[in-house]
């Protein structure tokens, strides 16, 4: 049987939330709890099971087919879809895009329809119609028509100007050109003429016109560097790499024209970082993933040219799938104006009705005997009163302010120009002013009650610098001489002995350099060797200099640190990586790369050394690494203590480990890996399962510590916001110690602040919830006690809560690991009713607990949520808006902040802060 507790959460009763663990992934779905299986299987369930097994499997993940250089392939009947009645068209979209709202035919009706959705405009349209009726009109119809046309005209002109700008932008984009294979040769074609299956060529600094599969490029091993600022706002370059087979055979124009590969992949979707597909070519299959796809909106950088085949075009591209429809944003002023107009309209109706009733009474008593009132002699008094009701509506129409909306729009337009002209928001170093992207939400900026901010890149500069490390239990990074004695003054290490040193690393521990150069401690050299080989960084060697291109600043800082300490990453191919180890170049065979993602929070690489030995090198968050360590790790606890010290110093940490793999173990694992990499469905899950099999019994090497400094002016800005009674919530994925120390660094927390943690407030909230559940049978006083403040006033309090405690307190379920399939047996009506009642009680408890949490958190001057996922960031913002009805401001700079920033009804600042002097621009969106 289910208990109420089971319905609320899947946490074990005796377990406590782990402050170090991120609770779940955004892509995971919650499985419903199953009741225990009966001892006997009903006959109907057996029949149902046999029927399910007899069905043919349906491919859902890879149902999109693309044939290269064959436009007729996509016109086959199986690729048609019904659009209207019996009319059909290809399900493959053309590459022309349309972001405008109107055309020459639809502008007038659609714009008028939108404008008459406003209460005032619709009212005056009805008034105009009434004024054309001779029996009730008291004013000429043009007295309403002229101002109404003026109001509608001004708004229509504004909408027309905006839409003309969209038309021009669409035309400019659709008429861009690139080279496309036509009749066996590359010919210039417009973007709007590109179709799915076309093979195209892109040159340096060109935008990618559609979502394409990279076939080859001018770079060695068909690498391609792209800038994704249009997609995720990040300006650092990312690299893509084609398949080895296409790199080898598809370099010449003639080979491109003859390419006839068939691609089966997932249907168009809006997931920017995921792609699953398979290439069928020359009787072989090749797995495709997101690292081989160039998305529309990217820009080719540091690559002379590249070739690709179009997979998704136009509206099917991922950037267009993410754009969605532009929703009209309404502020509190808009709601207030609508409320005022409704109220005035009701008053007008009541007043007109009163006057009409009075007129009817007067007609009955006096009107019929008055010789000078002859126009209505043929009508009865009630009918004349009815006509006069509408007449009074017309006479008193000035009570409804027709120009109110126009006045507000003009004020907002003026405010947007003042924002653009504001010198205090001007960034002189790059000659960049503030830019108001919309005129709808200006007045909301002055009504913000809560600010939700990310930490990395928002409060901090996102410029990483290697500061300290822990190797084999020994901490390095303090100011020491070559013998290990501490120095009173800092003296920079001389890296002149290293020909690959970049000269930018500031490091004062001479003892570490001695350990590296003498080579007595093998773990020290192995530590930096791991940093040089386990990464996805690409190198650009020009003029004798090594320029690293990293997908994240953390990874770039680690590889650069290894380079300075004598282990320089020099180059990579599809299957090899070359490293300079203390001046000696060595090339290693890369057997597999186990990618990093938000679920795994680690990456691994399996390499074959020149002597034939196979090793796995892994780096990742301490929470996931420690779960996979070999039981015998002597430095485990020492390294954990050092990690806590690094966190207290607000440093970002990663753990490093390795593992020796036998040839037999690798061959058995590689067979499973190849099968999972070409799986037609659930490929990501299959790969994760295979990764888990090899990433276990790891040997801990140590940990790295990277510094990310605060932005300039953060403490001063937070102090001013606090004086304005604006509360700041920091939502980050960092460790609790790191987040807490950042709070002190930016003066969000002070020595006088009383800090409450998740374990502290859990009991408070549980007691409050029990009191609220029992208040139905209590008196009024006890009911009032359940709504009193959680804390005594007069003290400055802050809340620091981790993602695991957040899930526990808010009764959010964890995802259950899928087990063997369970047979479902029919329940009786009584069991179903009990289950429904139990679910309702659980939902009510969950809602009340969430409300209590928001009330408690809002009594604190600051809230820091650490070890939270992107989904939890969005959930926290939604809870505050739901229960406090407050104007909120969400600030972030990365892909993990998108959920929080897109949370509806909140003001959004992306890649921007009031205190951000480093960024190139400031946008109010």
């Amino acid at each position: 049987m289910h208990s109420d507790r089971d319905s609320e959460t899947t946490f074990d009763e005796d377990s406590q939330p782990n402050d170090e663990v991120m609770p779940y992934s955004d892509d995971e779905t919650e499985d419903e709890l199953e009741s225990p299986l009966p001892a006997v299987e009903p006959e109907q369930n057996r029949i149902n099971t046999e029927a399910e097994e007899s069905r043919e499997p349906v491919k859902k993940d890879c149902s999109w087919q693309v044939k290269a250089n064959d436009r007729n392939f996509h016109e086959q009947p199986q690729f048609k879809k019904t659009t209207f009645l019996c009319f059909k068209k290809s399900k493959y979209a053309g590459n022309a895009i349309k972001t405008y709202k109107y055309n020459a035919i639809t502008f007038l009706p659609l714009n008028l329809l939108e404008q008459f959705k406003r209460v005032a405009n619709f009212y005056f349209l009805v008034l105009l119609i009434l004024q054309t009726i001779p029996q009730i009109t008291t004013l000429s119809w043009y007295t309403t028509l002229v101002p109404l046309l003026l109001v509608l005209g001004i708004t229509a002109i504004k909408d027309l100007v905006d839409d003309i700008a969209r038309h021009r932008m669409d035309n400019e984009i659709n008429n861009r050109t690139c080279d496309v294979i036509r009749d066996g040769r590359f010919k210039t074609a417009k973007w709007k003429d590109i179709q799915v299956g076309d093979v195209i060529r892109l040159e340096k600094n060109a935008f990618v016109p559609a979502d394409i599969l990279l076939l080859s490029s001018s770079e060695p091993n068909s690498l391609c560097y792209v800038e994704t600022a249009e997609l995720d706002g990040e300006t650092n370059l990312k690299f893509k790499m084609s398949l080895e087979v296409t790199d080898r055979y598809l370099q010449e124009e003639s080979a491109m024209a003859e390419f006839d590969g068939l691609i089966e992949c997932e249907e168009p979707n809006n997931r920017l970082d995921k792609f699953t597909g398979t290439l069928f070519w020359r009787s072989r299959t090749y797995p495709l993933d997101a690292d081989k796809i160039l998305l529309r909106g990217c820009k080719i950088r540091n690559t002379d040219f590249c070739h690709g085949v179009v997979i998704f075009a136009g509206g099917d591209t991922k950037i267009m799938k993410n754009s969605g429809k532009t929703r009209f944003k309404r502020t509190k002023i808009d709601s207030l104006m609508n409320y005022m107009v409704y109220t005035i309209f009701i008053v007008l109706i009541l007043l007109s009705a009163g006057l009409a009733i009075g007129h009817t009474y007067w007609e009955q008593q006096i009107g019929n005997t008055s010789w000078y009132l002859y126009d209505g002699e043929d009508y009865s008094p009630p009918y004349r009163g009815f006509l006069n009701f509408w007449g009074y509506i017309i006479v008193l129409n000035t009570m409804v302010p027709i120009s109110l909306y126009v006045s507000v729009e003009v004020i907002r337009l003026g405010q947007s120009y003042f924002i653009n002209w504001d010198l205090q928001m001007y960034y002189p170093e790059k000659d960049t002013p503030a830019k108001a992207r919309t005129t709808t939400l200006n007045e909301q900026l002055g009504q913000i009650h809560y600010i939700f901010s990310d930490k990395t890149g928002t409060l901090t500069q996102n410029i990483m610098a290697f500061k300290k490390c822990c190797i084999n239990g020994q901490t390095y990074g303090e100011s020491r001489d070559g013998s290990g004695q501490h120095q009173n003054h800092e003296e920079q290490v001389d890296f002149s002995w290293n020909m690959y040193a970049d000269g930018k690393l500031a490091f004062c521990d001479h003892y570490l350099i001695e350990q590296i150069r003498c080579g007595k401690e093998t773990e020290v050299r192995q530590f930096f060797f791991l940093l040089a080989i386990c990464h996805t960084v690409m190198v650009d060697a020009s003029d004798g200099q090594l320029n690293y291109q990293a997908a994240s600043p953390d990874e770039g800082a680690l590889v650069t640190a290894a380079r300075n300490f004598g282990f320089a990453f020099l180059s990579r191919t599809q299957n090899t990586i070359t490293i300079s180890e203390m001046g000696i170049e060595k090339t290693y065979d890369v057997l597999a790369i186990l990618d990093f993602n938000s679920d795994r929070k680690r990456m691994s690489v399996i390499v074959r050394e020149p002597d034939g030995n196979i090793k796995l090198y892994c780096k990742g968050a301490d929470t996931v690494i420690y779960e996979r360590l070999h039981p015998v790790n002597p430095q485990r606890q020492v390294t954990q203590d050092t990690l806590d010290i690094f966190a207290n110093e607000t440093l970002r940490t990663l753990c490093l480990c390795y593992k020796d793999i036998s040839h037999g173990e690798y061959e058995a694992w590689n067979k499973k890996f190849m099968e999972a990499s070409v799986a037609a469905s659930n490929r990501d899950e299959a790969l994760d399962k295979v990764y888990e099999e090899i990433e276990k019994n790891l040997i801990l090497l140590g940990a790295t510590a990277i510094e990310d400094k605060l932005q300039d002016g953060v403490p001063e800005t937070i102090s001013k916001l606090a004086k304005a009674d604006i509360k700041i919530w920091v939502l980050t994925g960092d460790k609790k110690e790191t987040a807490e120390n950042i709070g002190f660094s930016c003066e969000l927390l002070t020595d006088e602040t009383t800090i409450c943690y998740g374990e502290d407030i859990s009991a408070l909230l549980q007691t409050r919830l029990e009191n609220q559940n029992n208040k139905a049978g209590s008196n009024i006083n006890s009911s009032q006690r359940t709504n009193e403040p959680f804390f005594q006033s007069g003290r400055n309090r802050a809340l620091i809560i981790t993602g695991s405690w957040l899930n526990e307190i808010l009764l959010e379920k964890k995802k259950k690991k899928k087990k063997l399939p369970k047979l479902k047996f029919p329940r009786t009506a009584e069991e179903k009713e009990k289950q429904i009642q139990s679910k309702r009680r659980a939902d009510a408890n969950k809602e009340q607990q969430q409300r209590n949490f928001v009330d408690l958190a809002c009594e604190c001057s600051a809230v820091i949520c650490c070890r939270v996922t992107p989904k939890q960031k969005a959930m926290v913002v939604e809870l505050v808006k739901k229960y406090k009805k407050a104007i909120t401001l969400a600030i972030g700079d990365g892909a993990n902040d998108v959920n929080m920033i897109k949370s509806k009804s909140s003001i959004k600042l992306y890649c921007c802060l009031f205190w951000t002097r480093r960024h190139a621009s400031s946008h109010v969106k």
Side-chain angles (χ1 to χ4, degrees), residues 671-803:
K671 184 178 180 180
K672 298 179 181 178
F673 172 70
M674 295 306 296
E675 292 176 354
S677 63
V678 295
S681 62
N682 300 323
R683 181 179 299 178
D684 291 340
E685 292 81 357
L687 285 172
D688 286 343
K689 183 179 179 180
V690 174
Y691 293 165
E692 288 286 348
E693 292 182 8
I694 199 72
E695 291 176 324
K696 58 184 180 181
N697 295 326
L698 304 176
I699 305 301
L700 183 64
L701 264 179
T704 62
I706 298 176
E707 182 184 35
D708 188 9
K709 293 183 178 180
L710 282 178
Q711 301 271 10
D712 297 334
V714 169
E716 295 82 359
T717 303
I718 289 179
S719 175
K720 293 179 180 179
L721 292 173
K723 291 180 180 178
D725 197 26
I726 297 176
K727 296 181 180 180
I728 298 178
W729 294 31
V730 177
L731 312 178
T732 178
D734 283 334
K735 291 168 64 70
K736 182 170 70 173
E737 294 81 5
T738 304
E740 182 174 341
N741 283 279
I742 284 290
F744 281 105
S745 300
C746 65
E747 298 183 10
L748 193 61
L749 307 176
T750 63
D751 294 335
E752 292 76 25
T753 302
T754 302
I755 300 177
C756 302
Y757 298 96
E759 53 269 32
D760 300 327
I761 68 170
S762 180
L764 274 175
L765 292 171
Q766 187 64 30
T767 302
R768 176 65 62 88
L769 181 61
E770 291 175 357
N771 292 340
Q772 289 169 335
N773 288 338
N774 296 329
K775 72 178 182 178
S778 61
N779 56 35
I780 299 177
N781 293 330
S782 63
S783 176
Q784 290 175 345
R785 285 197 298 271
T786 61
N787 296 321
E788 64 185 14
F790 286 88
F791 304 115
Q792 296 178 358
S793 59
R795 301 187 65 181
N796 188 19
R797 283 182 170 81
L799 173 62
I800 299 179
I801 187 169
T802 60

Side-chain angles (χ1 to χ4, degrees), residues 63-210:
S63 57
W64 189 266
Q65 294 185 343
V66 176
K67 186 70 176 292
N69 288 316
D70 188 354
R71 289 192 167 189
N72 295 327
F73 176 81
H74 307 103
E75 297 298 328
Q76 298 181 66
Q78 63 265 33
F79 300 130
K80 298 284 187 177
K81 64 178 181 179
T82 303
T83 56
F84 179 73
L85 297 178
C86 60
F87 297 99
K88 293 186 176 182
K89 72 172 185 177
S90 176
K91 71 175 184 178
Y92 297 88
N95 202 45
I97 63 168
K98 184 185 75 170
T99 61
Y100 56 84
K101 296 170 62 177
Y102 314 109
N103 57 37
I105 299 176
T106 62
F107 172 72
L108 192 60
L110 288 183
N111 188 261
L112 289 177
L113 178 63
E114 288 187 3
Q115 292 201 57
F116 283 123
K117 288 181 180 179
R118 284 182 167 174
V119 182
N121 290 345
F122 183 74
Y123 165 74
F124 280 96
L125 175 64
V126 174
L127 193 66
L128 179 63
I129 296 173
L130 293 177
Q131 287 182 333
T132 60
I133 302 175
Q135 290 82 356
I136 62 175
T137 183
T138 56
L139 297 172
S140 300
W141 56 270
Y142 53 80
T143 58
T144 300
L145 178 63
V146 173
L148 181 60
L149 289 178
L150 183 63
V151 171
L152 296 177
I154 293 175
T155 306
I157 291 173
K158 176 188 172 184
D159 293 342
L160 180 62
V161 170
D162 291 341
D163 210 56
I164 288 175
R166 296 190 192 100
H167 272 274
R168 289 175 178 172
M169 185 177 296
D170 289 347
N171 289 333
E172 188 272 328
I173 292 174
N174 290 331
N175 288 310
R176 290 176 181 174
T177 59
C178 68
D179 294 333
V180 182
I181 289 287
R182 293 283 189 275
D183 301 324
R185 299 192 62 183
F186 278 111
K187 297 181 179 179
T188 301
K190 295 181 179 181
W191 279 21
K192 62 183 180 182
D193 298 326
I194 295 175
Q195 294 186 15
V196 172
D198 286 349
V199 176
I200 64 176
R201 177 170 61 193
L202 302 174
E203 298 182 351
K204 187 176 182 180
N205 296 327
F207 283 99
V208 180

Side-chain angles (χ1 to χ4, degrees), residues 220 243 453:
L243 290 168
S453 173

Side-chain angles (χ1 to χ4, degrees), residues 394-409:
I394 297 173
V395 170
L396 301 175
N397 70 81
T398 53
M399 291 181 62
V400 180
I402 187 173
S403 61
L404 180 61
Y405 291 99
V406 176
S407 301
V408 171
E409 289 293 337

Side-chain angles (χ1 to χ4, degrees), residues 389-637:
F389 168 78
W390 299 105
Y392 286 123
I393 291 286
I394 297 173
V395 170
L396 301 175
N397 70 81
T398 53
M399 291 181 62
V400 180
I402 187 173
S403 61
L404 180 61
Y405 291 99
V406 176
S407 301
V408 171
E409 289 293 337
V410 172
I411 292 172
R412 286 172 177 166
L413 182 63
Q415 287 177 340
S416 66
Y417 280 103
F418 281 117
I419 291 175
N420 297 344
W421 296 336
D422 195 334
L423 293 178
Q424 292 185 349
M425 289 193 284
Y426 172 70
Y427 186 54
E429 295 184 16
K430 293 194 174 182
D431 189 26
T432 305
K435 179 64 176 177
R437 297 292 189 183
T438 178
T439 61
T440 308
L441 302 177
N442 296 350
E443 67 269 18
Q444 299 283 74
L445 293 174
Q447 304 175 38
I448 294 171
H449 290 92
Y450 297 91
I451 293 179
F452 300 91
S453 173
D454 179 39
K455 182 186 75 67
T456 304
T458 308
L459 294 177
T460 59
Q461 297 181 13
N462 205 22
I463 301 176
M464 310 298 180
F466 184 88
K467 284 296 179 184
K468 293 183 179 182
C469 61
C470 175
I471 307 174
N472 199 27
Q474 175 70 39
T475 302
Y476 300 93
E478 303 292 341
S479 180
R480 296 187 292 185
D481 58 20
S483 62
Q485 299 297 320
H486 286 274
Q487 295 178 320
N488 295 328
H489 63 283
E490 293 186 354
E491 181 181 348
Q492 298 288 335
V493 170
D494 182 12
F495 290 103
S496 59
W497 56 272
N498 181 6
M499 61 180 296
Y500 291 108
D502 64 353
K504 299 177 181 178
L505 180 62
F507 201 74
C508 299
D509 195 342
H510 295 259
Y511 183 61
L512 176 59
I513 303 300
E514 287 298 320
Q515 294 294 314
I516 295 174
R517 300 189 68 177
C518 70
K520 293 181 180 179
E521 296 287 342
T522 57
E523 290 85 358
V524 175
R525 286 196 173 187
Q526 193 173 19
F527 180 90
F528 289 103
F529 170 77
L530 191 154
L531 293 180
I533 201 170
C534 184
H535 57 79
T536 57
V537 174
M538 301 305 300
V539 61
D540 179 20
S542 58
D543 300 329
Q545 298 294 324
L546 298 177
N547 298 314
Y548 292 149
Q549 298 289 345
S552 69
D554 305 65
E555 196 167 51
L558 293 176
V559 177
T560 302
R563 165 187 177 178
N564 282 281
F565 287 112
F567 293 81
F569 162 57
L570 299 181
S571 63
R572 73 161 75 237
T573 67
Q574 294 276 1
N575 300 312
T576 65
I577 185 170
T578 303
I579 295 174
S580 172
E581 302 177 22
M582 304 300 294
I584 302 174
E585 289 190 17
K586 292 185 179 180
T587 300
Y588 296 83
D589 293 329
V590 179
L591 303 179
I593 295 179
L594 284 57
D595 297 327
F596 173 92
N597 60 44
S598 59
D599 298 335
R600 288 167 39 78
K601 295 186 282 293
R602 64 190 182 279
M603 81 157 289
S604 302
V605 59
I606 301 176
V607 298
R608 179 183 284 114
E609 298 179 336
D611 57 8
N613 293 330
I614 299 176
K615 284 190 174 182
L616 178 144
Y617 294 98
C618 179
K619 66 180 181 182
D622 55 337
T623 55
V624 296
I625 295 298
Y626 269 65
E627 294 174 355
R628 292 160 177 80
L629 292 180
H630 192 278
V632 181
N633 265 284
Q635 307 302 330
R636 181 185 185 124
Q637 188 58 45

Side-chain angles (χ1 to χ4, degrees), residues 214 216-224 240-244 247 251 538 571-576:
L214 179 63
S216 62
S217 76
S218 58
E219 295 296 304
N221 305 295
S222 289
L223 297 177
C224 182
K240 304 289 183 178
M241 183 183 296
S242 73
L243 290 168
E244 183 179 5
D247 167 56
Q251 294 289 346
M538 301 305 300
S571 63
R572 73 161 75 237
T573 67
Q574 294 276 1
N575 300 312
T576 65

Side-chain angles (χ1 to χ4, degrees), residues 361-381:
Y361 176 78
W362 188 87
E363 282 286 344
Q364 291 176 337
Q365 301 298 323
I366 303 173
N368 290 337
T369 61
S370 301
W371 59 269
Y372 52 86
L373 297 177
Y374 57 88
D375 59 325
E377 292 180 352
D378 298 333
Y379 301 140
S380 64

